[in-house]
Amino acid sequence: MRLATLRNEIADGQLVMVSRDGARCLLAPSPSLIQAIEHWADIEPALRSIAARIDAGEGEALDPALLRAPLPRSWQWLDGSAFSTHGELMQIAFNLPPVESDRPLMYQGISDRFYGPNDPIPFPDEADGIDFEGEFGVIVDAVPMGVSPEEALGHIKLVVQINDWSLRAIAPVEMKTGFGWVQAKPACSMAPFAVTPDELGDAWRSGRVCMDLHVDCNGKAFGRANGSAMDFGFHDLVAHAARTRDLVAGTIIGSGTVSNPNYAEVGSSCISEVRAIEIIRDGHPSTPFMRHGDTVRMEGLDLNGSAPFGIIEQSVAIGIPATGQPAEHGKWSAG
């Protein structure tokens, strides 16, 4: 099943079921995805019934301009760092000591908003080191404390594609305080479609999204790393997060930046990783961070060339929305 959220006057938007080609949709039997995930066991049969109708050719034309993040806001966003290659390169980039732990790395970010796939993204200053981070993620139903990784796999109801925006000039300052990120981690973006794991077919294996994440920056190929290289699967990340607490339904858990050991061949999913590679190779970074008007495009592709999550394609906007609301709602003031 493929689910999406359309823009309307409600904060959580209107939930719809979407055809596999992303062209048609039907209203879902729940007004929003957050309500659907909170009652997933009860509503899933009805969702699958509507999905079957769409597969049979029913549905209205889907207007891409109305697409928001499939989950525009939630109770909790937890981001992992499950690709060891990325972690090792970041230690070089930020001149940090190695993290000596056999546990998954994870932090809690803001979840009160997720930008839609085509929203311009507001930042106050280019000097903050604007960077994208291509990731995959999962959305869970209610997860009990102490769940095992095997049990956690059954709580993963939806899979998503995420751009975890980061401000690299601020990040090392906040990291060294020991209190974690606040300013360095603004709101993330999501690709338009959330899909059930079975929708991914063979690309969903061992709790991992085994497909290439195509990342382009300013129209040029930037990275084609594959999500199969996670050191910890999503079921491990869910179990880690739930070790000492229940996870509320609608919790989103990210993989961290998709990264592969053969980065020289496949590229990277964020600018900071490329800069770290340049430091190792040349002694200094040369790739700039993003500036006003720069664009990033992300698309997870399976072996058949299909993009089950749709496409994130966004531009950087320096300035603050006059209303203080997300970019999609406000007018711009000069930065």
Side-chain angles (χ1 to χ4, degrees):
M1 293 189 295
R2 242 185 209 195
L3 299 90
T5 294
L6 302 182
R7 198 181 317 279
N8 62 10
E9 70 280 2
I10 306 302
D12 294 311
Q14 173 62 59
L15 181 64
V16 294
M17 309 294 295
V18 180
S19 60
R20 285 191 171 91
D21 62 3
R24 291 172 290 108
C25 67
L26 285 171
L27 289 178
S30 173
S32 66
L33 183 52
I34 191 64
Q35 292 185 46
I37 201 71
E38 289 173 342
H39 304 280
W40 191 262
D42 296 328
I43 202 171
E44 184 179 11
L47 292 173
R48 292 199 176 274
S49 176
I50 294 174
R53 289 168 52 196
I54 293 177
D55 290 342
E58 292 187 41
E60 302 293 329
L62 177 63
D63 183 356
L66 294 179
L67 288 167
R68 301 182 62 184
L71 195 55
R73 60 178 182 170
S74 188
W75 304 109
Q76 187 165 225
W77 155 240
L78 303 172
D79 197 18
S81 182
F83 294 88
S84 59
T85 297
H86 177 73
E88 292 162 4
L89 290 170
M90 289 302 94
Q91 288 161 17
I92 295 169
F94 292 138
N95 193 27
L96 297 171
V99 178
E100 302 293 344
S101 176
D102 58 357
R103 296 183 178 184
L105 301 178
M106 186 174 287
Y107 75 92
Q108 185 159 337
I110 63 172
S111 61
D112 62 354
R113 68 190 61 179
F114 286 85
Y115 289 114
N118 301 117
D119 293 337
I121 308 302
F123 296 100
D125 196 334
E126 290 178 352
D128 290 336
I130 302 165
D131 198 359
F132 51 81
E133 291 190 60
E135 306 189 11
F136 296 112
V138 297
I139 303 174
V140 300
D141 63 2
V143 181
M145 181 172 61
V147 69
S148 70
E150 293 74 20
E151 294 167 334
L153 195 61
H155 289 282
I156 295 172
K157 301 306 179 184
L158 295 167
V159 188
V160 293
Q161 179 187 304
I162 296 169
N163 181 5
D164 174 32
W165 291 99
S166 296
L167 300 176
R168 300 300 192 182
I170 300 174
V173 178
E174 291 192 318
M175 289 170 69
K176 288 175 181 177
T177 67
F179 269 60
W181 287 307
V182 176
Q183 295 178 352
K185 288 292 186 179
C188 300
S189 304
M190 276 192 200
F193 308 130
V195 304
T196 49
D198 61 287
E199 189 77 10
L200 299 179
D202 291 340
W204 178 253
R205 299 193 303 272
S206 302
R208 293 162 171 83
V209 181
C210 303
M211 62 173 59
D212 293 340
L213 182 58
H214 287 229
V215 179
D216 297 342
C217 185
N218 292 327
K220 297 181 180 179
F222 194 91
R224 302 292 187 262
N226 192 282
S228 63
M230 290 175 73
D231 293 80
F232 299 95
F234 278 111
H235 54 310
D236 298 310
L237 298 182
V238 173
H240 172 76
R243 181 176 178 269
T244 60
R245 56 175 165 171
D246 298 335
L247 300 183
V248 66
T251 295
I252 308 164
I253 295 182
S255 65
T257 304
V258 179
S259 180
N260 293 169
N262 59 333
Y263 50 78
E265 302 170 23
V266 302
S268 300
S269 302
C270 74
I271 295 173
S272 192
E273 184 172 299
V274 169
R275 289 168 63 90
I277 294 166
E278 292 167 345
I279 291 171
I280 296 169
R281 186 187 65 217
D282 306 324
H284 59 86
S286 54
T287 300
F289 290 116
M290 300 188 79
R291 299 187 175 98
H292 180 73
D294 283 353
T295 61
V296 62
R297 185 181 192 275
M298 298 181 180
E299 181 180 27
L301 294 177
D302 62 20
L303 294 177
N304 298 318
S306 298
F309 307 107
I311 300 168
I312 294 174
E313 191 159 12
Q314 298 181 309
S315 61
V316 167
I318 301 301
I320 301 171
T323 61
Q325 296 300 312
E328 60 180 291
H329 297 304
K331 296 181 180 179
W332 295 108
S333 60

